C-alpha cells in the first residue's frame, strides 16, 4: 500500500464517525443513551420516531462502534460503548454552539423560555447542595437517575412532580436539571414549581456536561 493509499484509508475510517453523527436523530439518540442503557422501544419514544427508524439509526451508530447492543428475549437494548462517546457529544455540541449563528439564536430562544438559569454551577452548586442551602432536583426518568446523577440530587421524574410537590421544602430554592441544555424537562419542572410557590431555576448541564468538566457523579439509586 502506498503512502497516499494509507492516508486515504486513515481519513476514511475517521470519516465513519462523522457520517454516523451526521444525523439530528442519531445525535439525539446519543444524548439519550448518555443517560444509560435503553431498549429500542424506549429510544424510539424518547426521540419521537418509529421503532423501525430508531433501529435503522442505531444500526448506523453500532457500525461506527459508538454504541453496542444486547438481546434480552425478543427485545434489543443499546448503550454507549464508553464515556468517550458522551464526551464526543458534549464537544461536538459545544463547537457547534461556538461557530453556528443559527444555533446560537436557537439556544438564546431556549434560554428565554420558562425558568431562569441557576445563578451558580459546578463546585459552588455542589457545596450549597451539600450544606442543604438548596435542593438539586433530577426530573429525568427514575432509571436514568439510578444510572448516574449529580451528587445530593433528589429524584422526582417530571411526570410525577405535580403529585409529589409535598416532598419538597418550601423554604429553600430548587435547582432542576435533566439531560442537558437541549432537554425541556427542567424548564417544565421550573414552571410547575413556580406555580406552586416554590422558588426554582434550571441547570443547563446534565450528567454528560457535569462529568466532562471533571465534576463528581453519583452512581446509585439512593435519593438524597
Amino acid at each position: 500500500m502506498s503512502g497516499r493509499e494509507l492516508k486515504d484509508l486513515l481519513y476514511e475510517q475517521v470519516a465513519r464517525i462523522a457520517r454516523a453523527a451526521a444525523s439530528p436523530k442519531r445525535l439525539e439518540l446519543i444524548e439519550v443513551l448518555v443517560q444509560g442503557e435503553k431498549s429500542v422501544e424506549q429510544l424510539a419514544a424518547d426521540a419521537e420516531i418509529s421503532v423501525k427508524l430508531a433501529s435503522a439509526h442505531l444500526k448506523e451508530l453500532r457500525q461506527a462502534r459508538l454504541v453496542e447492543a444486547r438481546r434480552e428475549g425478543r427485545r434489543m437494548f443499546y448503550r454507549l460503548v464508553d464515556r468517550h462517546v458522551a464526551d464526543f457529544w458534549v464537544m461536538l455540541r459545544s463547537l457547534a454552539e461556538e461557530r453556528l449563528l443559527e444555533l446560537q439564536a436557537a439556544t438564546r430562544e431556549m434560554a428565554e423560555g420558562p425558568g431562569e438559569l441557576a445563578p451558580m454551577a459546578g463546585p459552588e452548586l455542589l457545596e450549597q447542595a451539600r450544606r442543604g442551602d438548596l435542593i438539586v432536583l433530577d426530573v429525568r426518568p427514575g432509571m436514568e437517575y439510578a444510572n448516574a446523577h449529580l451528587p445530593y440530587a433528589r429524584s422526582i421524574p417530571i411526570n410525577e412532580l405535580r403529585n409529589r410537590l409535598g416532598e419538597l421544602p418550601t423554604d429553600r430554592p430548587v435547582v432542576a436539571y435533566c439531560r442537558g441544555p437541549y432537554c425541556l424537562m427542567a424548564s417544565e419542572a421550573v414552571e410547575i414549581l413556580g406555580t406552586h410557590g416554590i422558588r426554582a431555576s434550571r441547570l443547563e448541564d446534565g450528567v454528560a456536561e457535569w462529568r466532562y468538566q471533571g465534576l463528581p457523579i453519583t452512581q446509585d439509586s439512593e435519593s438524597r
Side-chain angles (χ1 to χ4, degrees), residues 31 93 97 107-108 110-111 116-118 120-121 175-183 186 201-207 209-210 213:
E31 182 186 52
R93 195 201 70 239
E97 290 173 352
T107 54
R108 282 196 299 270
M110 177 171 280
E116 295 182 357
L117 294 177
M120 80 294 290
V175 176
Y177 77 94
C178 49
R179 292 171 176 165
Y182 299 169
C183 178
S201 58
R202 58 187 173 87
L203 179 66
E204 279 195 309
D205 291 344
V207 168
E209 292 76 20
W210 194 267
Q213 297 172 57

Side-chain angles (χ1 to χ4, degrees), residues 98-179:
E98 288 176 5
R99 301 298 178 185
L100 302 177
L101 296 178
E102 298 89 346
L103 181 56
Q104 292 170 12
T107 54
R108 282 196 299 270
E109 183 176 345
M110 177 171 280
E112 293 169 358
E116 295 182 357
L117 294 177
M120 80 294 290
E124 183 183 355
L125 178 69
L126 187 62
E127 177 59 22
Q128 291 201 31
R130 186 192 66 80
R131 294 200 307 260
D133 295 338
L134 57 79
I135 303 299
V136 177
L137 184 64
D138 187 321
V139 296
R140 299 173 300 159
M143 289 180 63
E144 297 181 12
Y145 173 85
N147 181 67
H149 57 269
L150 273 57
Y152 310 107
R154 299 188 185 186
S155 173
I156 303 182
I158 188 64
N159 60 353
E160 301 176 14
L161 183 57
R162 293 183 188 275
N163 295 326
R164 296 176 60 183
L165 288 169
E167 298 177 24
L168 296 171
T170 58
D171 61 343
R172 283 168 285 172
V174 172
V175 176
Y177 77 94
C178 49
R179 292 171 176 165

